[in-house]
Amino acid sequence: MTGSIQEIIEHLSRHKLRTALTGFAVGWGVLLLIFLLGVGTSFESGLRSSTTGYNIADLRLYAWFTTKPYSGFAADRSIIFDDIDIALIKQVAPEVKSVYKTVTWGGKELRTKDTYYTDFFSISGVHPAMFRSNIAITLKQGRFLTDEDYNKALHHYIIPDNIATTLFPKDSTFVGKQIIVNGIQGTIVGVYQKSTFGNNIVYLPFSEAALRVPEVATNNMELALDLGEKVLTGKEANALGEKIRIAIARRKQFDPTDENAVYLNTWNIEGASSFDNFFRRLQAFLWVVGLSILAIGIVGVSNIMLVAVSERRKEIGIRKALGARSRHLIGMVLGESLIITLISGLLGLAIGVAILLFLDYAIIHWKIGELTMFGETIHLLGSTTVSIGLGLAAIAVMLLAGIIAGYRPARRASNIPAVEAMSDKAD
């Protein structure tokens, strides 16, 4: 085996330029394949980091007004949730583990004694458990709301960092500071960087919201559904929403098909599914493009190997006359093809990984692919890290490429008759 490999290497060494040019096509193909997949991974990573909470199962049940007359009742009736509805939801939908009251309304005043926040903001009254099941937040300082905050209806706020820096431009620590929200003074207990619903929401306990704006908390109440570890597809979520709407419609006497009266917002589930499908298709497209480029290199290797076999007809004929079997000749040609593709492919893989590492450094330190829209930083590019699985897949592709490139020339070499190959007319 060692002698065969040494013989193959010696033969390739006698044709350095041809071997280098042949390997270049394969190495270039592997480099582009790794680069394209790395950039695709970076694009996906960047967008996912900029859409914090996009995949969280935030199932919100909304009540609005009826659009259809029903059973003697006219249209345009307001539908308002109450505690009986919450119990009914748990009864008809046992997959729902908990139901939390929540309400969101527009903010009018946000300030300290000395500074004002003048841009638009919203106030959202939530249950502490929603930070585990319905709201994805990247907390920068402090903590989330607690059961004590909720049970005692404390004036505790979680605010975005852009609002915190506006209100306290000279400070870097904001937890514990006092702010006034719509006329009521309270304490900052947490500062977040990103939230599921944007970076302009001030969170406080729903219990405190119910005391502060009782009419809004009653008439505009939304219900957040917690399914625990269960993950729904878009179809399952729609079926759940229909089941709940029918049950509430029976109790509140409105048309069960009136989706405007009660509807389950499944935008994030359906959106996350579309998001995942987009990136799966993108990765598939990049694989196709990369493999197409690599295929050009494979054709080049195959053609060069055919030329090499033609040049070595006499040598092959002598080997066959001396008793060399077809499998030995096939192994010789395949060995050359595999060595060319493996060495050039590994070199292309190493250069591709090096380029991605440099790009990763540039993304982090030079802010490449970073832009600001509506006061929020969006990352178009993220980590370009190449997984071990991708590296192994690239090596497998190289091995397969070597076999494909060398198979036809190898079969041709094994089929050359010894007498014909040694004949002077063979050339």
Side-chain angles (χ1 to χ4, degrees), residues 27 39 67 71 108 146 155 224 283 301 326 338 363 382 404 408:
V39 171
T67 58
S71 190
K108 296 180 180 179
T146 64
H155 300 327
Q283 287 290 333
V301 172
S326 294
L338 282 171
I363 291 171
I404 294 174
R408 185 183 169 205

Side-chain angles (χ1 to χ4, degrees), residues 241-383:
E242 183 176 0
K243 179 167 59 176
I244 293 174
R245 185 178 64 252
I246 291 173
I248 295 178
R250 189 179 299 115
R251 175 175 177 257
K252 293 186 179 293
Q253 292 294 297
F254 65 85
D255 192 326
T257 64
D258 192 348
E259 296 183 6
N260 193 77
V262 171
Y263 65 96
L264 185 65
N265 189 356
T266 60
W267 67 269
N268 58 333
I269 293 178
E270 296 170 349
S273 178
S274 300
F275 211 55
D276 292 338
N277 288 335
F278 168 75
F279 283 111
R280 276 196 294 268
R281 290 169 183 167
L282 176 63
Q283 287 290 333
F285 173 75
L286 295 178
W287 268 104
V288 170
V289 173
L291 290 176
S292 299
I293 297 171
L294 185 58
I296 297 174
I298 294 174
V299 172
V301 172
S302 182
N303 289 334
I304 293 297
M305 294 305 299
L306 284 172
V307 173
V309 167
S310 297
E311 291 177 348
R312 301 172 68 184
R313 287 174 65 89
K314 287 185 178 181
E315 176 190 339
I316 292 170
I318 293 171
R319 286 174 180 269
K320 294 191 76 171
L322 294 175
R325 297 184 178 181
S326 294
R327 70 171 182 269
H328 295 145
L329 297 174
I330 292 175
M332 178 183 69
V333 178
L334 279 180
E336 288 188 17
S337 177
L338 282 171
I339 287 177
I340 290 174
T341 54
L342 266 179
I343 293 177
S344 57
L346 288 173
L347 186 60
L349 176 63
I351 295 174
V353 170
I355 292 174
L356 291 178
L357 289 175
F358 174 77
L359 180 60
D360 205 34
Y361 176 88
I363 291 171
I364 295 173
H365 294 86
W366 300 341
K367 310 297 183 183
I368 293 178
E370 184 177 297
L371 52 90
T372 302
M373 295 179 63
F374 306 108
E376 183 174 352
T377 301
I378 298 176
H379 300 277
L380 296 180
L381 297 174
S383 174

Side-chain angles (χ1 to χ4, degrees), residues 48 51-58 134-137 195-196 267-268:
R48 287 192 184 279
T51 53
T52 303
Y54 200 64
N55 289 324
I56 195 167
D58 179 49
N134 297 84
I135 304 172
I137 275 188
S195 167
T196 308
W267 67 269
N268 58 333

Side-chain angles (χ1 to χ4, degrees), residues 64-68 74-79 254-255 258 260-261:
W64 204 6
F65 59 86
T66 61
T67 58
K68 302 176 181 179
D76 297 323
R77 285 188 298 130
S78 294
I79 302 299
F254 65 85
D255 192 326
D258 192 348
N260 193 77

Side-chain angles (χ1 to χ4, degrees), residues 12 52 58 61 91 199 201 209 221 239 247 310 316 331 382 398 404:
L12 293 175
T52 303
D58 179 49
L61 194 66
Q91 179 182 345
N199 294 351
I201 300 176
M221 184 195 304
S310 297
I316 292 170
M398 285 184 279
I404 294 174

Side-chain angles (χ1 to χ4, degrees), residues 201-234:
I201 300 176
V202 175
Y203 292 100
L204 72 164
F206 176 84
S207 54
E208 205 246 317
L211 294 176
R212 179 182 297 196
V213 284
E215 185 175 347
V216 173
T218 299
N219 296 336
N220 297 346
M221 184 195 304
E222 304 159 8
L223 299 178
L225 311 184
D226 180 7
L227 275 64
E229 300 298 323
K230 185 175 179 60
V231 178
L232 299 182
T233 63

